[in-house]
Amino acid sequence: MVAHGRQCKIEGSQATARQTAELLRSVISQQRVPYTNQAGALIDAVKAVGEQLIAANPVELAVGNIVRRVLHIIREEDLSLTTAAIGELNLSAVSDDENDDDRDGNTTLSAAAVAAAARSTLRPPSLQTLLEDTPVSAAVPQTSSSGAADKSSRSRKLKHDVIEAVNELIQDIVTCHEQIAEQAVEHIHQNEVILTLGSSRTVSEFLFAAKEKKRSFRVFVAEGAPRYQGHLLAKELVARGLQTTLITDSAVFAMISRVNMVIVGAHAVMANGGVIAPVGMNLVALAAQKHAVPFVVLAGSHKLCPLYPHNPEVLLNELRSPSELLDFGEFSDCMDFGSGSGSPLLHVVNPAFDYVPPKLVSLFITDAGGHNPSYMYRLIADYYSADDLVVQRRAIAGN
Amino acid sequence: MWHRSASFILDKNQNDTVYPADSVTLTPPPPSSISTPQNPNPNLNRNMSMSAYYQTRAAHHGVVTSDWLAQSQEAATRAVATGGQEIVDGGKSGRAFSVIDEFNNWRKQPDLAEAVAAIRALAAVIRNSEAKTMMELEIELKKASDSLKSWDTTSISLTAGCDLFMRYVTRTSALEYEDFNSARSRLIERAEKFGEISYKARKIIAMLSQDFIFDGCTILVHGFSRVVMEVLKMAAQNKKLFRVLCTEGRPDRSGLRLANELAKLDVPVKLLIDSAVAYTMDEVDMVFVGADGVVESGGIINMMGTYQIALVAHSMNKPVYVAAESYKFARLYPLDQKDMGPALRPIDFGVPIPSKVEVETSARDYTPPQYLTLLFTDLGVLTPSVVSDELIQLYL
């Protein structure tokens, strides 16, 4: 898969995300885990593969997102297993040693207290837990003294749980279009005019779903130079019976005053709510803001990236081949790099992406519902752990 | 004034009425002491009270001016004479424990945050208390915390720190600690550790902000914040090339002190007067400020001048980053600048001002959240809407 990634054979973030998840699932199931610190071994294995995958395709942020989500899943499952084990242990200890009430403080912690503390460690750091430390770490030596049979069943259980959770993740990735499209009826009303740019599968499913529910609306499609994928989208929409108007990207400002809502897809959503979208999107967003038109971005949760755009790891853009702008052969005399008279005067630049700042976005619709850009941190805190932001193996094993 | 929930107001009224009956004091408090504002430094000459919080900050970070020095001398002698207030339940003669004195002692250390001093003082209350049940202890702590808060109503992190600790106490007592003594020792231990937490918080914030400081950037800084100092120190240690524009920060002139510290780290510094911010804003890449308090809307309360700088930065599309620890989140929602209690700080103009000329002496302003880009806290890098979320989780 690394070779495929390097040659960009897999197009589209959904397909990439799914392949990554399936690959990591097979890595996990093949990994041999030692008796102690199984989570650490799994995390190391996933990080090793993840590093290679990210390096192969740094522009496709979905790869990094999925790697980090799998790591978060491993940590969560490990913690929930540990607390369950401690809870059982404490309950049995309390029932056996009812007379020894004044033993060391660890065993007098009731199961409820331990569970409460563990629940707090699963969540990201918050004001509530600011003053608490983790009593779970104090109770861990208890588990190490338990029998060997207990441990081997735990190790199998961890892998099993993790693989189940990764399967759920893959299922989510595959069905993200349907879940987003379900929300279409709430946002598209009768006799509205929708503007979109280029072609995004999420947007087309969204519009089709609204059409199914018998909403009648019109769509303006900006063609999305230089790949002109807007033409394909326009064909699909017409095939479904939607009234469509095709315009050039430069005409967006002229037509925006007739539009009720802008609905677009995204390549990635950053942690501050900014959007990396196909080139030309910033133009549309600015036009929408000027005319007070809501700018709605549809993105599956695998596109949600915990990094900020200032992060040096994030490549905001990718320069594609200039042949998409000019055919080979045209202007060949201006662009002759081979001639000995120094660099040519004509450069052709073909960036693939645009960055849209969060203040231009009105609403994000993800498979987890609709949110405004400043709420993105919440979804990120749910899906990712802070330890995994840098996916690089460290010399020491463990979290 | 302060936006509090009803329960706070009810408790305060009850405390005021209950108080005179119970207390046994060494120095009999004058009956009017309850009604007058518990300010440590009422300036009788000019009929204007000075905010203790900003006085302390000036003591730590500002350039000392002569008339301020005279005021502080006066305050010190006055504090010794009155001897603080008795907090402990009545009946214990011979014990002169005062939470306010304890707090003042802690606060004097320049490296210690306000909230840490408050929590340490409350820990001392627990240690010195003779309560036998959690309810008794909680009531004592509530009294102590209320007296601390009313002693200096202008300090937001003090209020927030007290509230956070009270909340933690309530939640801890709800967990099943069968033994009162173990619960009490746990509370004391966590309170002592809070100093470490605060220190760690600064480190975490410094680490999180490293990615945002790139080589060759120009940073504008306002006021002397220890957190921002930590951020810049770590960036300098990581061998990043950046330069700092530092406002003077009248009337404390804390900017001068900051410029000194930065020069020691070999960071190129340029000093500006406060009015020169708009003039230099186009060469600035980002603005970094600390916060005295972070309010529920996601805005910040900081030294006077912050709002101005945020407005200029916003109009020129420069990001404004706030570095604040999470225990500064406060349950306030100011709607405009005058919505907060006044925190006054006399200004020395260097020349005598005729008495019919009024002077605006407020020491702080409120910056609404739409002018802030990101908040760097020990809970992570957050957008301003996080604050109300965290507060809701904590209090509701």
Side-chain angles (χ1 to χ4, degrees):
Chain A
M1 173 168 171
V2 169
H4 279 172
R6 236 179 254 129
Q7 299 163 27
C8 294
K9 279 226 184 102
I10 307 176
E11 277 263 346
S13 37
Q14 192 199 23
T16 322
R18 183 184 177 167
Q19 292 267 3
T20 315
E22 286 170 356
L23 178 70
L24 290 176
R25 178 179 61 187
S26 55
V27 164
I28 292 173
S29 58
Q30 286 167 14
Q31 177 73 15
R32 290 226 185 105
V33 282
Y35 272 148
T36 53
N37 203 3
Q38 306 126 23
L42 280 179
I43 288 177
D44 266 351
V46 170
K47 270 194 186 174
V49 177
E51 231 182 305
Q52 290 185 352
L53 287 172
I54 295 176
N57 197 353
V59 179
E60 186 56 75
L61 292 166
V63 176
N65 297 347
I66 297 299
V67 170
R68 291 185 182 95
R69 284 201 58 178
V70 172
L71 288 171
H72 182 70
I73 287 173
I74 299 177
R75 289 182 208 276
E76 260 192 21
E77 296 295 335
D78 186 40
L79 264 171
S80 64
L81 271 181
T82 320
T83 42
I86 293 176
E88 291 162 10
L89 215 58
N90 262 347
L91 283 174
S92 57
V94 165
S95 57
D96 289 344
D97 313 61
E98 274 169 306
N99 301 327
D100 306 358
D101 264 6
D102 47 348
R103 282 213 309 191
D104 50 327
N106 293 339
T107 49
T108 55
L109 277 181
S110 70
V114 172
R119 248 181 285 124
S120 63
T121 52
L122 274 178
R123 282 204 300 260
S126 78
L127 267 182
Q128 274 183 298
T129 59
L130 198 60
L131 279 159
E132 296 168 17
D133 63 356
T134 49
V136 185
S137 53
V140 157
Q142 295 261 345
T143 55
S144 61
S145 60
S146 64
D150 194 27
K151 264 195 255 173
S152 62
S153 66
R154 265 193 65 210
S155 75
R156 261 179 279 127
K157 200 154 190 318
L158 176 67
K159 265 172 81 166
H160 179 248
D161 284 347
V162 170
I163 292 185
E164 252 186 41
V166 175
N167 280 336
E168 271 177 36
L169 175 63
I170 296 178
Q171 201 51 28
D172 277 343
I173 297 174
V174 167
T175 57
C176 74
H177 293 308
E178 285 90 54
Q179 291 182 354
I180 293 178
E182 272 170 14
Q183 306 171 46
V185 202
E186 300 162 10
H187 298 279
I188 301 182
H189 305 294
Q190 203 70 352
N191 290 332
E192 282 208 331
V193 180
I194 313 271
L195 174 73
T196 185
L197 181 115
S199 166
S200 156
R201 186 171 152 208
T202 326
V203 173
S204 48
E205 300 267 338
F206 195 78
L207 296 175
F208 296 159
K211 182 78 173 111
E212 295 295 313
K213 297 280 168 60
K214 309 283 184 261
R215 295 266 199 258
S216 82
F217 55 96
R218 298 172 47 203
V219 185
F220 280 26
V221 180
E223 60 184 5
R227 305 182 90 190
Y228 299 114
Q229 291 186 329
H231 298 176
L232 301 171
L233 179 63
K235 267 202 200 150
E236 285 177 33
L237 292 175
V238 169
R240 288 289 187 118
L242 279 168
Q243 172 83 30
T244 313
T245 310
L246 187 64
I247 57 176
T248 60
D249 298 346
S250 3
V252 165
F253 246 106
M255 306 297 269
I256 193 89
S257 46
R258 305 192 202 180
V259 170
N260 294 118
M261 180 169 11
V262 178
I263 301 183
V264 293
H267 171 76
V269 178
M270 312 305 292
N272 63 344
V275 179
I276 298 187
V279 68
M281 208 57 84
N282 203 4
L283 183 62
V284 178
L286 285 168
Q289 190 201 38
K290 187 107 192 346
H291 290 261
V293 175
F295 186 81
V296 176
V297 176
L298 310 179
S301 54
H302 59 271
K303 292 187 177 167
L304 191 60
C305 183
L307 303 173
Y308 281 83
H310 319 266
N311 193 318
E313 249 187 65
V314 174
L315 293 182
L316 284 178
N317 223 327
E318 178 196 27
L319 296 179
R320 290 209 229 256
S321 160
S323 65
E324 292 178 2
L325 263 63
L326 300 175
D327 292 332
F328 279 129
E330 281 181 39
F331 295 90
S332 55
D333 45 350
C334 304
M335 289 183 58
D336 192 0
F337 282 81
S339 70
S341 56
S343 61
L345 291 174
L346 180 66
H347 288 260
V348 178
V349 175
N350 186 10
F353 299 119
D354 237 347
Y355 173 69
V356 181
K359 62 178 187 206
L360 297 177
V361 180
S362 313
L363 185 68
F364 279 107
I365 300 184
T366 67
D367 41 358
H371 306 287
N372 73 352
S374 62
Y375 193 72
M376 276 302 141
Y377 79 93
R378 198 88 183 109
L379 295 179
I380 287 174
D382 284 341
Y383 292 152
Y384 303 100
S385 316
D387 300 329
D388 300 328
L389 288 185
V390 179
V391 181
Q392 265 156 19
R393 270 176 306 165
R394 285 177 225 138
I396 37 168
N399 325 8
Chain B
M1 284 269 280
W2 296 109
H3 295 255
R4 302 264 187 122
S5 69
S7 62
F8 282 90
I9 297 174
L10 279 176
D11 288 339
K12 190 166 182 342
N13 285 339
Q14 280 173 12
N15 268 345
D16 280 345
T17 51
V18 163
Y19 188 4
D22 286 358
S23 63
V24 171
T25 60
L26 285 187
T27 65
S32 61
S33 69
I34 300 161
S35 46
T36 56
Q38 311 276 3
N39 224 298
N41 190 15
N43 190 334
L44 299 173
N45 295 338
R46 274 190 284 179
N47 200 23
M48 176 176 60
S49 57
M50 174 142 152
S51 157
Y53 173 63
Y54 285 96
Q55 185 184 344
T56 322
R57 285 198 66 83
H60 291 166
H61 312 303
V63 173
V64 177
T65 60
S66 56
D67 80 331
W68 179 88
L69 197 56
Q71 285 172 12
S72 62
Q73 298 283 26
E74 194 190 344
T77 51
R78 188 181 299 273
V80 164
T82 53
Q85 302 286 334
E86 274 294 321
I87 307 301
V88 179
D89 275 345
K92 308 282 185 295
S93 57
R95 295 215 2 240
F97 173 69
S98 156
V99 69
I100 293 181
D101 281 345
E102 184 82 22
F103 175 62
N104 274 337
N105 284 341
W106 285 115
R107 198 195 226 180
K108 291 220 182 62
Q109 299 181 23
D111 224 17
L112 212 57
E114 283 274 312
V116 179
I119 292 188
R120 288 243 173 107
L122 291 177
V125 168
I126 301 182
R127 220 182 289 118
N128 290 334
S129 98
E130 310 212 341
K132 289 283 172 293
T133 64
M134 278 309 282
M135 277 307 290
E136 233 181 298
L137 187 61
E138 269 183 54
I139 293 176
E140 269 187 41
L141 276 177
K142 188 98 184 41
K143 267 202 214 141
S145 140
D146 284 342
S147 69
L148 265 182
K149 284 195 261 194
S150 59
W151 180 78
D152 184 4
T153 53
T154 61
S155 171
I156 296 179
S157 41
L158 168 58
T159 314
C162 286
D163 285 345
L164 188 65
F165 191 68
M166 286 310 301
R167 199 73 197 159
Y168 175 65
V169 166
T170 323
R171 255 205 347 272
T172 312
S173 63
L175 292 180
E176 297 83 8
Y177 280 106
E178 290 89 8
D179 184 13
F180 171 68
N181 280 327
S182 69
R184 181 186 136 143
S185 56
R186 178 160 177 77
L187 284 176
I188 296 181
E189 177 220 340
R190 294 315 302 161
E192 313 273 280
K193 286 270 172 58
F194 192 70
E196 273 180 37
I197 295 176
S198 154
Y199 184 64
K200 248 193 276 177
R202 287 191 201 153
K203 288 269 182 243
I204 294 176
I205 294 174
M207 269 192 341
L208 286 172
S209 22
Q210 290 313 299
D211 269 338
F212 288 81
I213 301 179
F214 50 90
D215 277 335
C217 68
T218 305
I219 306 179
L220 177 69
V221 183
H222 181 64
F224 188 98
S225 159
R226 289 165 289 208
V227 187
V228 175
M229 194 59 224
E230 186 71 38
V231 169
L232 296 176
K233 216 193 288 184
M234 196 179 272
Q237 283 166 359
N238 289 343
K239 305 276 186 276
K240 296 220 179 185
L241 303 169
F242 60 99
R243 65 179 185 125
V244 177
L245 298 180
C246 187
T247 56
E248 188 193 3
R250 290 267 299 156
D252 312 346
R253 291 195 271 153
S254 42
L256 301 181
R257 168 87 180 266
L258 180 68
N260 263 341
E261 300 284 325
L262 285 174
K264 282 188 211 154
L265 297 171
D266 281 336
V267 173
V269 184
K270 186 166 172 185
L271 265 178
L272 320 162
I273 55 172
D274 298 335
S275 347
V277 166
Y279 177 76
T280 50
M281 188 55 85
D282 58 346
E283 56 185 51
V284 162
D285 290 310
M286 64 185 88
V287 179
F288 246 105
V289 291
D292 289 336
V294 181
V295 296
E296 221 171 313
S297 58
I300 57 168
I301 297 185
N302 200 18
M303 177 170 151
M304 179 64 80
T306 313
Y307 184 27
Q308 205 155 292
I309 296 183
L311 274 171
V312 175
H314 185 253
S315 73
M316 299 206 196
N317 276 327
K318 309 285 181 184
V320 176
Y321 299 132
V322 176
E325 301 100 312
S326 61
Y327 52 76
K328 286 182 179 162
F329 290 5
R331 287 187 82 187
L332 298 170
Y333 208 112
L335 298 172
D336 58 23
Q337 299 300 323
K338 308 290 186 293
D339 241 357
M340 311 172 285
L344 303 173
R345 196 202 170 319
I347 304 181
D348 173 26
F349 285 107
V351 292
I353 308 282
S355 50
K356 41 185 181 166
V357 175
E358 274 185 53
V359 179
E360 174 63 59
T361 49
S362 179
R364 61 191 182 179
D365 59 24
Y366 162 63
T367 308
Q370 60 262 35
Y371 302 112
L372 306 174
T373 320
L374 287 174
L375 292 167
F376 297 133
T377 70
D378 48 326
L379 306 177
V381 180
L382 310 165
T383 48
S385 59
V386 174
V387 181
S388 64
D389 216 13
E390 284 295 330
L391 285 171
I392 288 175
Q393 276 184 32
L394 182 61
Y395 285 106
L396 297 174

